[in-house]
Amino acid sequence: MSAKADTAKQQQWVRDTLEPAIEEAQKGECQLLFDAAHFILEPFICALWCVTRLFIKASAGRNRINVLGVVNAITKEILTLNNTSYITAETIIIFFKKLRVHYGNSPLKIVLDNARYQHCALVETAAKSLDITLLFLPSYSPNLNIIERLWKFTKKKILYAKYYETPAKFHDAITDFLQTISQKHNDDLKNLLTLKFQPFKHQNAFIYPV
């Protein structure tokens, strides 16, 4: 967590914004989703013990694939939208429309960070027209977004100590992993995506039963 994070604001946001949304989602009154993005093809170091020196191939350059994704707070369903160019406000709106079609008329609430491409008038207007409520996180608060755990898990499985000969193979690996993660790593997801949020200043975490 960034040293710039304001723990008091985080606790207030959890109490005043996130906790009521979780309660609504648990009652089936809305779908609560957590949103975020990005993977870069570059070397990721991991621990390797060996009696002889080994040279391991590493990818050159910094090719990237952008992954817009949401995790359903209750069902743990994962939905994504990928591209290899840029994430813009228009991309966010396209993804919101995809979510609206997927969830039908169910009220949607999305937890998301303050990236400029999504915390802007264009996106907020589109969200309102789609009956989507945006719950913007306090600044520097990735610890309050459960999808960050999903991205970390994905990097561990797909990027750490892995070599991809071409960007296309890297893109395919990310896409295939996220498309099958619910089937292949269901137990891991249950442990990772709990509604437990650590404020870091205190030893006790915020815990909500699912």
Side-chain angles (χ1 to χ4, degrees):
M1 185 176 76
S2 171
K4 295 182 179 180
D6 188 321
T7 304
K9 287 184 178 179
Q10 287 191 353
Q11 291 175 324
Q12 182 178 0
W13 185 84
V14 168
R15 182 175 60 252
D16 298 344
T17 302
L18 184 58
E19 184 177 17
I22 289 174
E23 291 177 355
E24 288 180 26
Q26 289 173 333
K27 294 176 182 177
E29 297 174 359
C30 75
Q31 302 291 334
L32 178 62
L33 312 173
F34 289 78
D35 164 83
H38 307 311
F39 293 99
I40 298 175
L41 177 59
E42 61 182 347
F44 281 82
I45 298 174
C46 66
L48 177 65
W49 294 95
C50 186
V51 294
T52 60
R53 180 179 295 180
L54 293 178
F55 293 91
I56 301 174
K57 288 184 177 181
S59 303
R62 285 173 58 86
N63 186 275
R64 71 187 292 159
I65 179 171
N66 301 308
V67 181
L68 277 177
V70 291
V71 171
N72 189 300
I74 306 304
T75 67
K76 312 308 177 189
E77 179 183 34
I78 298 167
L79 298 173
T80 61
L81 176 68
N82 302 352
N83 75 28
T84 56
S85 53
Y86 299 96
I87 296 292
T88 65
E90 288 76 14
T91 314
I92 300 296
I93 293 170
I94 290 171
F95 190 42
F96 283 178
K97 290 179 179 178
K98 176 180 178 179
L99 296 177
R100 174 46 67 206
V101 170
H102 181 78
Y103 284 107
N105 295 324
S106 180
L108 298 181
K109 293 190 175 184
I110 302 178
V111 173
L112 63 172
D113 63 28
N114 294 279
R116 290 183 180 180
Y117 53 72
Q118 56 193 17
H119 201 168
C120 64
L122 184 63
V123 168
E124 292 183 40
T125 299
K128 185 176 181 179
S129 70
L130 292 167
D131 193 24
I132 296 175
T133 302
L134 304 181
L135 308 178
F136 288 102
L137 289 159
S139 299
Y140 308 106
S141 300
N143 55 305
L144 301 183
N145 193 344
I146 62 174
I147 203 170
E148 296 293 347
R149 305 171 206 167
L150 173 65
W151 299 147
K152 183 177 181 180
F153 182 69
T154 302
K155 288 179 181 179
K156 178 181 177 181
K157 294 293 185 180
I158 300 300
L159 294 178
Y160 287 10
K162 297 291 179 64
Y163 170 69
Y164 297 101
E165 293 180 351
T166 65
K169 290 183 178 180
F170 162 61
H171 298 165
D172 289 344
I174 293 288
T175 301
D176 292 344
F177 180 78
L178 291 173
Q179 286 179 345
T180 61
I181 189 172
S182 295
Q183 293 76 38
K184 295 182 178 179
H185 300 280
N186 187 51
D187 290 339
D188 290 313
L189 292 182
K190 288 180 180 178
N191 292 326
L192 280 172
L193 304 179
T194 60
L195 297 177
K196 179 185 293 186
F197 304 95
Q198 178 64 48
F200 292 99
K201 188 173 182 179
H202 305 291
Q203 292 183 350
N204 295 329
F206 301 114
I207 302 175
Y208 299 96
V210 177

